Amino acid sequence: MSNVLKNIALTAFLGLGGSIATAAPGHALDQVSYGTNWLAQAEHGGFYQAVADGTYEKYGLDVSIVQGGPNAANSALLISGKIDFYMGGSQGEITAVEQGIPLVDVAAIFQKDPQVLISHPNAGIETFEDLAKLKTLFLGKDGYLTYFEWMKSNYKGFKDEQYKPYNFNPGPFIADKESAQQGYLTSEPYEIQKQTGWEPKVFLLADNGYTPYSTMITTTQMMIDTKPDVVQRFVDASIEGWYNYLYSDNSKANELIKKDNPEMTDGQIAYSIAKMKEFGIVESGDAMDKGIGCITDAHYKKFFDEMVAINIFKADTDYTKAFTTKFVCKGTVLSLKK
């Protein structure tokens, strides 16, 4: 599709969804900060795109991206009011509800959580269920307490004896053909292939029934109550940024990503974008006809019910306090897709 046609399609999308809010000449831009959940990467690309190509400015916003990382505390900064938005996830916000912390998801950029399990090729592992036959699963503590409990509850054969701690080094997995390890669809498989020369088997949990939203736009209830127009403009501009990052020239955004995270490579960025498209991480489910960022009660409740079943959440928790649908689900144009 030509850039002209893409722009026409994007304009049509915005016409469906409503507000193209631009700053009036001479008016100061509203300053907004968005904290990511890790070091800059393609998985944050739409936000960097909206900074790089002026989309946020067009919507009357001066946006600063506050990079996450191993020593960052961006979720705490959101709670304390030191940043305006955070890259949360549905599990975190339901937990916040249970703790009486008024955090609210206003958009779900990733309809599918990119969490995967990775196994060796030619090891007899062809389906997600086959992973239960392996002797070892290298998992982080959080994964062991959440999605591994979900796996044991929903699939036969998974057992605690398979668990070994994952130290974020693929070496033990690479050395053991009878093992699998956790990872992110867009990163660990790429690194494993670089190190070994062989392509690992990759199983996306979201395609096997594990349904949390990911890469959210999360804010506080106070922000929603006092500055709903700013929230709406930030959501709309970020959605436009994601369309442009996936389907238009994203070179300036990638330069910003590499500036914030000098260890990021062009090869990793290209791989991540390709996998996001291939697996429908951004565009699938409700987002296919209601637009990038769509949140629905049905999707949120399904995940909540799954977690209640394995005793992660209390059954009487009001999960609806963790999100609002008022800022999203306003339509899309699928002709943007290549």
Side-chain angles (χ1 to χ4, degrees):
M1 183 186 292
S2 72
N3 287 334
V4 171
L5 290 176
K6 289 176 187 172
N7 290 335
I8 292 172
L10 181 57
T11 300
F13 149 68
L14 291 168
L16 287 172
S19 58
I20 303 180
T22 58
H27 286 204
L29 302 176
D30 291 307
Q31 292 189 337
V32 169
S33 51
Y34 180 69
T36 65
N37 59 3
W38 197 245
L39 300 173
Q41 53 192 272
E43 294 88 330
H44 307 162
F47 303 104
Y48 279 92
Q49 179 77 25
V51 171
D53 67 9
T55 297
Y56 283 133
E57 185 175 356
K58 183 179 73 173
Y59 282 75
L61 303 172
D62 178 6
V63 174
S64 299
I65 296 179
V66 182
Q67 185 178 207
N71 299 314
N74 284 343
S75 59
L77 292 178
L78 176 64
I79 294 169
S80 65
K82 293 181 179 178
I83 60 175
D84 301 301
F85 299 96
Y86 173 64
M87 189 178 287
S90 44
Q91 182 172 332
E93 279 64 82
I94 297 174
T95 299
V97 169
E98 293 191 335
Q99 295 174 348
I101 302 171
L103 300 184
V104 183
D105 292 326
V106 295
I109 300 301
F110 284 5
Q111 296 291 298
K112 295 181 181 180
D113 182 60
Q115 187 67 56
V116 296
L117 290 175
I118 305 163
S119 69
H120 287 247
N122 306 314
I125 307 300
E126 301 299 329
T127 67
F128 190 81
E129 293 89 338
D130 289 339
L131 293 166
K133 299 185 296 185
L134 293 171
K135 290 183 178 180
T136 301
L137 298 177
F138 292 104
L139 305 172
K141 180 181 178 181
D142 288 345
Y144 175 68
L145 295 174
T146 54
Y147 60 77
F148 187 55
E149 287 297 319
W150 170 83
M151 289 162 58
K152 290 189 295 180
S153 178
N154 288 274
Y155 291 91
K156 293 180 179 180
F158 289 108
K159 51 190 179 295
D160 287 334
E161 290 76 13
Q162 292 175 288
Y163 168 70
K164 284 188 180 180
Y166 174 53
N167 61 6
F168 299 91
N169 174 1
F173 159 72
I174 291 171
D176 183 358
K177 193 172 183 179
E178 293 187 73
S179 73
Q181 74 156 62
Q182 74 170 48
Y184 221 51
L185 171 70
T186 47
S187 56
E188 278 83 359
Y190 176 79
E191 183 61 29
I192 289 168
Q193 189 168 357
K194 276 181 60 180
Q195 290 190 27
T196 65
W198 43 261
E199 184 175 356
K201 291 274 190 177
V202 176
F203 300 92
L204 185 68
L205 270 67
D207 284 346
N208 290 279
Y210 187 66
T211 61
Y213 286 123
S214 181
T215 306
M216 314 292 285
I217 299 176
T218 306
T219 191
T220 61
Q221 187 62 52
M222 181 178 292
M223 183 74 171
I224 292 171
D225 292 341
T226 60
K227 298 181 179 179
D229 177 63
V230 172
V231 175
Q232 185 67 73
R233 283 185 282 134
F234 182 74
V235 168
D236 288 347
S238 298
I239 289 171
E240 184 172 339
W242 271 99
Y243 274 109
N244 288 334
Y245 186 71
L246 291 175
Y247 301 114
S248 298
D249 181 4
N250 56 24
S251 57
K252 290 182 179 179
N254 291 333
E255 288 305 313
L256 287 182
I257 289 170
K258 290 185 290 183
K259 180 180 179 181
D260 273 359
N261 181 9
E263 295 185 2
M264 184 54 59
T265 66
D266 291 333
Q268 175 67 79
I269 289 172
Y271 180 89
S272 297
I273 293 171
K275 291 302 177 182
M276 284 191 285
K277 290 180 177 180
E278 178 184 350
F279 283 81
I281 298 300
V282 177
E283 290 185 289
S284 58
D286 298 308
M288 292 299 291
D289 60 353
K290 297 176 182 177
I292 285 176
C294 187
I295 298 175
T296 65
D297 180 271
H299 187 136
Y300 226 104
K301 186 177 189 302
K302 183 176 187 297
F303 175 67
F304 173 73
D305 288 343
E306 290 169 358
M307 295 298 99
V308 169
I310 59 173
N311 300 313
I312 300 297
F313 300 134
K314 300 174 184 176
D316 61 353
T317 297
D318 185 0
Y319 72 93
T320 64
K321 291 183 177 179
F323 69 96
T324 177
T325 63
K326 67 183 292 183
F327 299 104
V328 288
C329 306
K330 298 182 179 183
T332 187
V333 170
L334 297 183
S335 59
L336 279 167
K337 294 176 68 66
K338 289 183 179 179

